């Protein structure tokens, strides 16, 4: 999906944010011009107060579809910023597939409300899907498959399919009297068959299936490699329970890529550009702590030579800690910003707000981990001046790293250089140089 139009609308919304009438006109125009997914991505480019203002101008029908397309944290931010009576319409008339996509991070009151507004059939399907874990096909299968009893004639099948045929349907599935899948028939083949022909005589019994307990990521790959628009899902007894189509398979694969990308930099997947500062700090602080353990391990090995290098060795021993903490902090911000740039969420209009948010996150984590590292340094070397030097160096380096994580990819994009390829290298260089100069300079000042 192209996001080329997003920067234009982000600028238009920002330019008219103080003019309610003009802002409403821009929102109407973007509803007509952008897909639901594009609108969901666009909203993430705004701080929460402005996002809510724009959100309230979106028509109720569009709101629900955009809400479905949002990422989990972005949905939660909208819910937290709104009263319950404003949120309940978002959960009316959902089908089982849609509620399954939303329910994982929703509070019980919203899930219960959505279930209460479902038809009896959709409630039963939702309950059945809930029997499976999130990594199993049964939890993510769609229930819009066409099941045809084998006893029917071709004429009856044609009437059924003419009334209801789900998207991405090139075949329909034929079952026996107890809903056991016995084969499939292509729509093209059906058209050429005489009306009085029993459908059971033209069933293709050579077909691929997915089991409801299969791993969802492996199953998604199987669908994409099958050459078909969807594969049927059966339980362990062979009963047809649904299907997994190409659209869902690609969505699942993209979600898996996003998860792996964010985990590689120690961040919670799907973090919003304007997520709560304390939540962002907490999410990243955990991995900064993990990184700290590995950094001190490297320092410990260098410290084995302390007897030879005497006083100067303390600086050499702790240098990897300063560099490593800056590097991991900067890479967390870098990952978030590169994704925002790729989706067109970041423009000159919201850059200042993003820089301010990342500065606050850097200050919080800098103060926290600088104090922890200074304390460990004092227990290790029993030198308060050395602890003070590393405290200042860590605090400054994490703040600089957070700001560099925003500015480095932004400047590289302006220079038509891919920040995904070169951003980490430049960022590491910046944090290393700043960290070493600060720490060694303070060390020389305090210890000599």
């Amino acid at each position: 999906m192209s996001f080329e139009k997003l920067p234009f609308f982000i600028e238009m919304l920002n330019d008219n944010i103080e003019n309610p009438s003009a802002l409403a006109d821009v929102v109407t125009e973007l509803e007509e011009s952008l897909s639901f997914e594009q609108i969901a991505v666009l909203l993430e480019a705004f701080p929460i107060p402005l996002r809510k203002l724009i959100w309230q101008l979106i028509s109720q029908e569009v709101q629900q579809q955009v809400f479905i397309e949002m990422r989990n944290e972005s949905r939660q931010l909208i819910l937290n910023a709104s009263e319950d009576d404003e949120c309940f319409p978002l959960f009316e008339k959902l089908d089982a597939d849609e509620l399954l996509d939303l329910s994982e991070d929703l509070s019980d009151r919203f899930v219960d409300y959505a279930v209460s507004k479902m038809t009896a059939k959709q409630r039963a399907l939702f309950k059945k899907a809930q029997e499976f874990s999130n990594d199993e096909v049964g939890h993510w299968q769609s229930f819009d498959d066409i099941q045809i009893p084998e006893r029917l004639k071709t004429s009856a099948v044609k009437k059924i399919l003419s009334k209801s045929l789900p998207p991405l349907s090139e075949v329909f599935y034929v079952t026996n009297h107890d809903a056991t899948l016995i084969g499939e028939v292509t729509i093209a083949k059906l058209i050429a068959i005489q009306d009085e022909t029993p459908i059971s005589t033209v069933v293709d019994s050579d077909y691929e299936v997915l089991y409801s307990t299969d791993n969802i990521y492996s199953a998604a790959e199987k669908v994409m490699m099958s050459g078909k628009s969807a594969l049927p899902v059966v339980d362990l007894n062979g009963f047809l329970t649904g299907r997994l189509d190409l659209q869902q398979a690609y969505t699942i694969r993209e979600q898996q890529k996003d998860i792996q990308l964010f985990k590689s930099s120690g961040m919670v997947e799907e973090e919003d550009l304007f997520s709560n500062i304390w939540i962002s700090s907490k999410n990243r602080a955990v991995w900064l702590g993990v990184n700290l353990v590995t950094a001190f391990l490297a320092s410990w090995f260098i410290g084995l030579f302390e007897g030879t290098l005497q006083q100067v060795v303390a600086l050499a021993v702790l240098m990897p800690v300063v560099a490593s903490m800056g590097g991991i902090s900067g890479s967390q911000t870098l990952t978030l910003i590169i994704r925002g740039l790729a989706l067109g969420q970041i423009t000159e209009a919201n850059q200042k707000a993003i820089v301010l948010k990342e500065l606050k996150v850097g200050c919080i984590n800098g103060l926290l981990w600088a104090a922890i590292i200074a304390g460990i340094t004092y227990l290790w070397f029993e030198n308060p001046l050395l602890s003070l030097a590393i405290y200042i160096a860590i605090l400054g380096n994490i703040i600089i790293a957070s700001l560099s994580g925003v500015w480095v990819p932004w400047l590289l994009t302006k220079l038509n250089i891919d920040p995904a390829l070169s951003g980490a290298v430049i960022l590491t260089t910046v944090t290393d140089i700043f960290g070493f100069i600060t720490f060694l300079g303070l060390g020389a000042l305090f210890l000599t």
Side-chain angles (χ1 to χ4, degrees):
M1 175 170 292
S2 172
F3 295 98
E4 293 179 356
K5 296 181 180 179
L6 262 60
F8 168 77
F9 280 107
I10 291 172
E11 297 290 345
M12 287 285 290
L13 290 167
N14 272 290
D15 290 344
N16 294 282
I17 208 71
E18 303 293 339
N19 186 336
S21 176
L23 185 64
D25 291 339
V26 176
V27 171
T28 300
E29 183 181 351
L30 71 85
E31 284 188 20
E32 297 172 351
S33 304
L34 302 180
S35 68
F36 300 134
E37 182 182 357
Q38 289 172 324
I39 296 174
V41 173
L42 177 145
L43 287 170
E44 292 182 27
F46 293 89
I48 304 306
L50 298 183
R51 190 182 306 184
K52 183 181 178 182
L53 178 62
I54 297 167
W55 175 256
Q56 291 173 332
L57 294 173
I58 298 175
S59 62
Q60 193 172 95
E61 297 77 10
V62 174
Q63 273 190 355
Q64 186 182 63
Q65 295 303 317
V66 171
F67 187 77
I68 292 171
E69 295 293 339
M70 284 180 173
R71 296 179 296 111
N72 289 335
E73 186 177 359
S74 301
R75 292 191 198 109
Q76 202 59 52
L77 290 172
I78 287 291
L79 296 177
N80 292 341
S82 307
E83 299 295 331
D84 279 6
D85 58 354
E86 297 176 300
C87 299
F88 283 134
L90 297 171
F91 303 102
E92 293 184 356
K93 300 179 181 179
L94 296 176
D95 60 31
D97 293 336
E98 291 169 336
L99 184 55
L100 282 168
D101 287 338
L102 303 178
S103 62
E104 184 177 354
D105 295 299
L106 287 180
S107 63
D108 290 341
R109 69 183 186 280
F110 291 130
V111 175
D112 292 343
Y113 181 84
V115 172
S116 71
K117 295 298 182 179
M118 284 180 166
T119 64
K121 178 182 178 181
Q122 291 299 321
R123 280 198 298 271
L125 293 174
F126 178 74
K127 183 177 179 180
K128 184 176 182 62
Q130 291 292 85
E131 297 174 0
F132 299 91
S133 65
N134 285 352
D135 60 355
E136 291 181 323
V137 171
H139 189 81
W140 299 106
Q141 66 184 337
S142 62
F143 303 103
D144 60 357
D145 56 291
I146 298 295
Q147 302 183 25
I148 300 296
E150 62 177 337
R151 67 177 185 277
L152 296 183
K153 292 185 178 181
T154 299
S155 57
V157 176
K158 289 180 179 179
K159 289 181 180 179
I160 293 173
L161 297 183
S162 66
K163 296 178 181 179
S164 175
L165 192 62
L168 298 176
S169 293
E170 59 185 358
V171 303
F172 59 89
Y173 305 114
V174 181
T175 59
N176 62 16
H177 65 281
D178 64 357
T180 300
L181 180 63
I182 62 174
E184 62 185 26
V185 179
T186 65
I187 304 297
K189 186 175 183 180
L190 176 70
I191 296 173
I193 299 173
Q194 295 294 325
D195 286 352
E196 296 304 311
T197 305
I199 202 67
S200 59
T201 63
V202 295
V203 172
D204 182 1
S205 57
D206 182 18
Y207 56 90
E208 290 183 275
V209 299
L210 302 173
Y211 289 95
S212 55
T213 54
D214 286 347
N215 177 272
I216 184 60
Y217 299 114
S218 300
E221 290 295 329
K222 187 174 180 180
V223 172
M224 289 184 285
M225 297 296 292
S226 69
K228 296 185 176 181
S229 59
L231 290 180
V233 179
V234 299
D235 64 16
L236 296 179
N237 295 315
F239 298 151
L240 181 63
T241 62
R243 68 174 189 154
L244 190 68
D245 63 39
L246 272 175
Q247 181 177 358
Q248 182 75 321
Y250 277 106
T251 299
I252 290 167
R253 188 174 73 169
E254 290 305 310
Q255 289 175 347
Q256 184 185 30
K257 285 182 178 180
D258 284 345
I259 291 171
Q260 291 172 340
L261 172 64
F262 275 76
K263 283 184 176 179
S264 68
S265 61
M267 296 175 65
V268 174
E269 65 271 18
E270 299 193 339
E271 182 178 328
D272 191 277
L273 274 174
F274 292 100
S275 60
N276 181 275
I277 291 170
W278 291 106
I279 293 176
S280 293
S281 301
K282 181 185 70 174
N283 291 340
R284 304 183 200 185
V286 172
W287 285 95
L288 286 170
V290 172
N291 182 73
L292 175 61
V293 173
T294 61
F296 267 112
L297 181 62
S299 296
W300 179 78
F301 279 105
I302 298 173
L304 294 176
F305 300 92
E306 182 176 359
T308 305
L309 299 176
Q310 298 180 356
Q311 180 64 42
V312 181
V313 74
L315 298 175
V317 167
L318 294 170
M319 282 170 57
V321 178
V322 177
S324 183
M325 293 301 285
I328 188 66
S329 179
S331 68
Q332 291 172 336
T333 304
L334 185 74
T335 302
L336 184 66
I337 298 303
I338 287 176
R339 188 189 68 187
L341 288 170
L343 297 178
Q345 295 174 311
I346 300 176
T347 69
E348 291 184 359
N350 64 4
Q351 184 183 1
K352 183 178 178 180
I354 293 172
V355 170
L356 181 60
K357 184 249 185 175
E358 291 300 326
L359 176 61
K360 292 178 180 178
V361 172
C363 288
I364 291 170
N365 274 326
L367 290 168
L368 171 65
W369 290 106
I372 293 174
I373 294 168
I376 295 173
T377 300
Y378 180 79
L379 292 175
W380 190 350
F381 295 99
E382 298 182 352
N383 188 327
L385 290 177
L386 180 62
S387 297
L388 177 61
I390 199 168
Y391 178 90
I392 297 173
I394 291 292
L395 174 59
N397 208 22
I398 289 182
I399 293 174
I400 289 297
S402 296
L403 294 176
S404 298
V406 177
W407 286 107
V408 167
W410 176 266
L411 292 174
L412 289 174
T413 301
K414 289 290 187 181
L415 296 172
N416 294 321
I417 300 173
D418 187 358
L421 297 178
S422 54
V425 176
I426 297 175
L427 177 70
T428 301
T429 302
V430 171
T431 56
D432 283 354
I433 291 175
F434 181 87
F436 290 151
I437 290 176
T438 304
F439 183 49
L440 295 177
L442 291 171
L445 178 65
F446 293 160
L447 302 175
T448 59

